[in-house]
Amino acid sequence: MKIIFATGNENKMKEIREIMDDLDCEVLSMKEAGIVVNVEENGETFEENAQIKARAIAERVEDAIVLADDSGLEIDFLNKEPGVRSSRFMGVDTSYTVKNQHILELLEEAEEEQRSARFVCAIAAILPNKEEKIIRATIEGQIAKESKGEKGFGYDPIFYVPEFGCTTAELSMEQKNKISHRGKALTQIKKFIIEYYGI
Ligand code: IMP
């Protein structure tokens, strides 16, 4: 069985390969599967965007499970912004150092209990028979008072996880995968694939 993951992001490919490792499946990126498609992520929810991407790929392949994800950061104090616009927030070319600094400033007056936030990940799966499944997973945390940590990417340096006492940019990739929104969503999708195929 072949799984095609709709991303050009090598970190995400590494993550999904690690999680699907013990399945008897070949995991391919779009590029490895020879698929070139530019999809506009214009949905209003993470689920819609994941579904738009998965459907665009599924139209072009046969005999493969297609997976697509969409993720982002919801900050309660900012009415769940940047949300589905996480990568476009302040412009795609703006560095995360600048984006993160801006968020810290926007939350300068926020008390600890007002700093709640979560990373969200939706994954859409389309099976070869075109059956669809969508899964959402989250990791709850808080916007830190200051940027900390060098690992990870994006908003990781300002996302504080109370149970670990650090930001997700201070966790190893292995630690983060175990508790992250994407790690949890991928694990649930894996269960769905196992149940569906009885493997
Ligand atoms: P996409 O799912 O590739 O469209 O990514 C959405 C955006 O959400 C990323 O560009 C980051 O800004 C943010 N994001 C999603 N997951 C994470 C994460 O695990 N750490 C930090 N930022 C993230």
Side-chain angles (χ1 to χ4, degrees):
M1 181 50 67
K2 231 190 289 180
I3 298 177
I4 300 174
F5 194 43
T7 185
N9 181 323
E10 264 316 304
N11 285 326
K12 287 188 186 174
M13 284 311 298
K14 209 170 158 204
E15 221 172 289
I16 183 174
R17 284 198 174 102
E18 260 175 43
I19 289 171
M20 301 294 175
D21 191 42
D22 53 343
L23 286 187
D24 192 15
C25 282
E26 190 184 4
V27 184
L28 301 171
S29 66
M30 278 195 306
K31 197 171 151 198
E32 287 161 345
I35 300 163
V36 184
V37 55
N38 216 343
V39 191
E40 209 187 322
E41 294 175 31
N42 52 10
E44 278 305 311
T45 63
F46 296 106
E47 283 86 348
E48 264 183 74
N49 279 336
Q51 196 176 42
I52 291 169
K53 280 188 263 184
R55 285 182 178 170
I57 310 299
E59 276 172 14
R60 291 167 170 81
V61 299
E62 276 175 28
D63 296 335
I65 299 168
V66 174
L67 302 182
D69 81 322
D70 193 46
S71 55
L73 176 66
E74 285 184 353
I75 302 172
D76 293 331
F77 194 71
L78 304 180
N79 296 318
K80 300 202 172 173
E81 289 289 320
V84 285
R85 281 167 280 278
S86 289
S87 54
R88 288 164 281 166
F89 179 67
M90 296 178 77
V92 277
D93 294 327
T94 304
S95 78
Y96 277 92
T97 311
V98 172
K99 293 186 194 202
N100 286 340
Q101 191 50 42
H102 184 59
I103 289 176
L104 293 180
E105 282 162 21
L106 289 173
L107 268 77
E108 213 162 46
E109 304 296 320
E111 301 293 339
E112 195 169 328
E113 62 276 13
Q114 295 177 300
R115 305 183 77 88
S116 55
R118 69 207 52 82
F119 279 128
V120 181
C121 176
I123 296 189
I126 304 183
L127 301 177
N129 67 3
K130 303 302 172 198
E131 184 180 325
E132 296 188 12
K133 171 98 178 168
I134 301 186
I135 274 167
R136 165 186 279 237
T138 59
I139 170 173
E140 296 288 331
Q142 290 168 353
I143 299 304
K145 288 271 187 194
E146 56 181 16
S147 192
K148 234 174 168 186
E150 304 291 328
K151 302 187 189 94
F153 68 100
Y155 300 103
D156 280 328
I158 58 163
F159 189 79
Y160 180 79
V161 190
E163 52 181 304
F164 281 80
C166 65
T167 69
T168 40
E170 295 177 281
L171 296 174
S172 69
M173 186 162 150
E174 207 184 12
Q175 284 174 315
K176 187 183 158 191
N177 285 352
K178 276 195 194 132
I179 57 161
S180 82
H181 48 319
R182 209 169 3 263
K184 287 185 202 164
L186 281 170
T187 303
Q188 284 187 52
I189 283 286
K190 179 179 169 178
K191 276 192 197 141
F192 168 69
I193 293 173
I194 291 173
E195 274 163 28
Y196 192 85
Y197 286 98
I199 47 177

